[in-house]
């Protein structure tokens, strides 16, 4: 029996494929390589000395998706595939709604056809929007503030309706906080297109000399040093969370949501200083205006995942910085090298 990983060539998907292979699972990947390179999967196979099966297809192509289920005995699906850039989602919302939601509808319809009812879905802390207080628990009200976030929120609702219509479904919704870092080998990591929007890839590109200096978006937030506070989580911890979610599916949990975060919030300045220690490189930065739409502080209460999945993050901020830096410095142009 195989695990189908949609979006498996991407950042979190590739790290999860590696952990799945190491744990002895058979892995089938579908990815249209819209935001990734097949090289990530080549490296996963090199690192694990195991093979996976790759379909270079779009989830919107129902014929291709059916073929994958016909050709493989799929037991469970981990659904990463989606577009994820917040700014872009404001500019081209229809593409985001179509790609993220329609693709999920097609995937679930084909799963039903083939009697596959086990699903782990990549949701996001973005469904909470700007939380009224921290730490954030899973029962907080939803308040996504952009089309990307609304696709995650809507998909969560759709999956709940699906379960209500047929209790054979088992669905784990994983709400990631801020995934960062890379595999400790330095062979796989995050490879964003163009100038990064997110803090970690921006810092590593400054460190490697591709960008001049970091803009810190605001230092007048009500946080310990005035800069924004987030719950950064190492991508390898996150990947392991997916293996725990697969275990959970075996208990027939219905639909259940978990925050995947460390439970610790770090400010932008905390990250800069830790990165400088981990890499030995100074990061030039300047304070600029706040970025519209940013929350002051957002971090998880990961207690439910600990209690019900037996999962908690093992790696700290220093590991996240050291591993991001190893990946970036060994692969200055990502998978192009
Ligand atoms: P990513 O862009 O690296 O990976 C997503 C993959 O999906 C890419 O390889 C892309 O080519 C593929 N894809 C997109 N649309 C597809 C389609 N229609 N058919 C087939 N493949 C398609 O992103 P990631 O950081 O690995 O994120 C994985 C998932 O986790 C996404 O759903 C994202 O929204 C969610 N998430 C990410 C973060 C984050 O900060 N990285 C935070 C919260 C949630
Ligand atoms: C952003 C998205 C969120 C998405 C997440 C994915 C927005 C408003 N939110 O979250 O929906 O799920 O990415 O990882 O885009 N910062 C700087 N300078 C920079 C970049 C970031 O100071 O060049 C600050 C931000 O203000 C924030 C922190 O660093 O305080 C983290 O930013 P980022 O990595 O973009 O993540 P989020 O804003 O949490």
């Amino acid at each position: 029996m195989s695990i189908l990983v949609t979006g498996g060539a991407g950042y979190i998907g590739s790290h999860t494929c590696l952990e799945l292979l190491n744990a002895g699972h058979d892995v089938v990947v579908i990815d249209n390589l819209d935001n990734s390179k097949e090289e990530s999967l080549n490296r996963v196979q090199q690192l694990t000395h195991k093979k996976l099966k790759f379909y270079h297809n779009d989830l919107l192509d129902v014929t291709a998706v059916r073929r994958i289920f016909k050709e493989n005995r799929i037991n469970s699906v981990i659904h990463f595939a989606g577009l994820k850039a917040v700014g872009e989602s404001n500019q081209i919302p229809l593409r985001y709604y179509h790609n993220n939601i329609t693709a999920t509808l097609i995937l679930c319809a084909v799963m039903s056809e083939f009697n596959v009812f086990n699903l782990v879905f990549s949701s996001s802390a973005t469904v909470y929007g700007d939380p009224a207080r921290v730490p954030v628990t899973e029962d907080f009200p939803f308040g996504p503030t952009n089309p990307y976030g609304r696709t995650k929120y809507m998909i969560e609702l759709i999956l709940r309706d699906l379960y209500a219509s047929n209790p054979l479904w088992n669905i784990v919704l994983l709400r990631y906080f801020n995934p960062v870092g890379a595999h400790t080998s330095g062979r796989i990591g995050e490879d964003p297109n163009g100038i990064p929007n997110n803090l970690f890839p921006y810092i590593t590109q400054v460190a490697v000399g591709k960008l001049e200096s970091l803009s810190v978006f605001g230092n007048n937030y009500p946080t310990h040093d005035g800069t924004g506070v987030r719950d950064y989580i190492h991508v390898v911890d996150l990947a392991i969370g997916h293996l725990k979610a697969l275990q959970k599916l075996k208990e027939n949990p219905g639909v259940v949501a978990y925050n995947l975060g460390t439970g610790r919030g770090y400010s932008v300045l905390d990250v800069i200083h830790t990165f400088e220690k981990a890499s030995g490189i100074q990061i030039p930065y300047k304070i600029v205006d706040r970025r519209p739409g940013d929350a002051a502080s957002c971090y998880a209460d990961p207690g439910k995942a600990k209690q019900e999945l037996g999962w908690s993050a093992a790696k700290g901020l220093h590991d996240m910085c050291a591993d991001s830096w190893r990946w970036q410095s060994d692969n200055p142009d990502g998978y192009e090298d």
Side-chain angles (χ1 to χ4, degrees):
M1 294 296 260
S2 301
I3 312 289
L4 175 63
V5 182
T6 78
Y11 172 44
I12 307 170
S14 55
H15 287 81
T16 303
C17 286
L18 185 148
E19 298 299 331
L20 287 168
L21 289 172
N22 276 341
H25 291 284
D26 291 325
V27 175
V28 176
V29 168
I30 174 173
D31 200 304
N32 63 5
L33 302 182
D34 187 83
N35 194 39
S36 53
K37 308 252 166 34
E38 193 176 346
E39 177 61 12
S40 64
L41 295 175
N42 296 337
R43 294 191 186 185
V44 164
Q45 294 175 94
Q46 287 161 12
L47 286 165
T48 57
H49 305 290
K50 289 184 179 163
K51 293 254 167 263
L52 53 72
K53 204 163 163 186
F54 175 50
Y55 289 85
H56 181 188
N57 286 116
D58 198 306
L59 268 181
L60 293 167
D61 177 353
V62 65
T63 311
V65 179
R66 276 206 188 100
R67 186 161 57 88
I68 294 172
F69 280 82
K70 265 190 209 130
E71 291 180 359
N72 300 280
R73 288 182 60 220
I74 305 291
N75 171 261
S76 306
V77 178
I78 306 181
H79 179 32
F80 291 106
L83 298 173
K84 62 164 186 178
V86 170
E88 188 183 63
S89 80
N90 285 311
Q91 276 135 31
I92 46 170
L94 294 184
R95 178 144 191 258
Y96 270 69
Y97 286 116
H98 186 51
N99 189 74
N100 292 4
I101 296 181
T102 313
T104 305
L105 298 179
I106 288 172
L107 173 68
C108 291
V110 176
M111 286 175 70
S112 298
E113 269 176 46
F114 286 84
N115 292 311
V116 178
F117 295 110
N118 295 322
L119 179 66
V120 178
F121 172 63
S122 297
S123 187
S124 170
T126 199
V127 298
Y128 302 116
D130 188 354
R133 58 197 154 77
V134 280
V136 177
T137 51
E138 287 82 355
D139 54 3
F140 265 40
F142 294 114
T145 56
N146 53 70
Y148 162 69
R150 282 188 275 276
T151 69
K152 294 294 177 191
Y153 168 57
M154 288 178 193
I155 292 169
E156 285 206 12
L157 296 181
I158 290 166
L159 294 177
R160 286 186 188 279
D161 285 342
L162 196 56
Y163 171 69
S165 75
N166 180 353
L168 284 178
W169 279 95
N170 293 301
I171 301 171
V172 175
L173 311 170
L174 296 179
R175 298 180 185 148
Y176 316 148
F177 279 66
N178 288 58
V180 299
H183 190 256
T184 43
S185 63
R187 297 286 293 153
I188 57 172
E190 187 172 13
D191 184 16
N193 283 328
I195 296 180
N197 297 306
N198 296 122
L199 181 64
F200 260 75
Y202 205 103
I203 289 181
T204 59
Q205 292 201 11
V206 170
V208 84
K210 292 178 83 170
L211 297 168
E212 233 170 68
S213 108
L214 173 74
S215 297
V216 175
F217 298 143
N219 67 349
N220 56 359
Y221 284 107
T223 62
H224 63 271
D225 60 20
T227 64
V229 164
R230 294 292 183 276
D231 187 338
Y232 299 97
I233 170 159
H234 197 294
V235 66
V236 172
D237 278 331
L238 196 62
I240 292 167
H242 292 75
L243 274 72
K244 299 285 189 184
L246 288 177
Q247 289 288 333
K248 186 75 192 173
L249 291 175
K250 292 188 186 147
E251 295 170 17
N252 298 97
V255 188
V256 59
Y258 296 103
N259 287 339
L260 294 188
T262 63
R264 289 209 55 179
Y266 289 103
S267 72
V268 179
L269 296 180
D270 292 334
V271 173
I272 294 173
H273 296 141
T274 308
F275 186 87
E276 288 179 335
K277 273 196 205 117
S279 66
I281 292 178
Q282 226 188 327
I283 301 298
Y285 69 87
K286 53 184 182 300
I287 308 290
V288 301
D289 286 347
R290 291 180 178 193
R291 179 170 66 179
D294 271 359
S297 185
C298 184
Y299 55 91
D301 177 338
K304 187 178 174 197
K306 182 165 189 187
Q307 206 169 16
E308 296 184 15
L309 296 180
W311 174 91
S312 57
K315 292 172 186 281
L317 188 60
H318 191 275
D319 302 309
M320 301 179 210
C321 291
D323 293 340
S324 295
W325 176 235
R326 189 175 304 107
W327 156 252
Q328 179 75 73
S329 51
D330 288 356
N331 309 267
D333 296 315
Y335 291 113
E336 294 292 358
D337 278 1

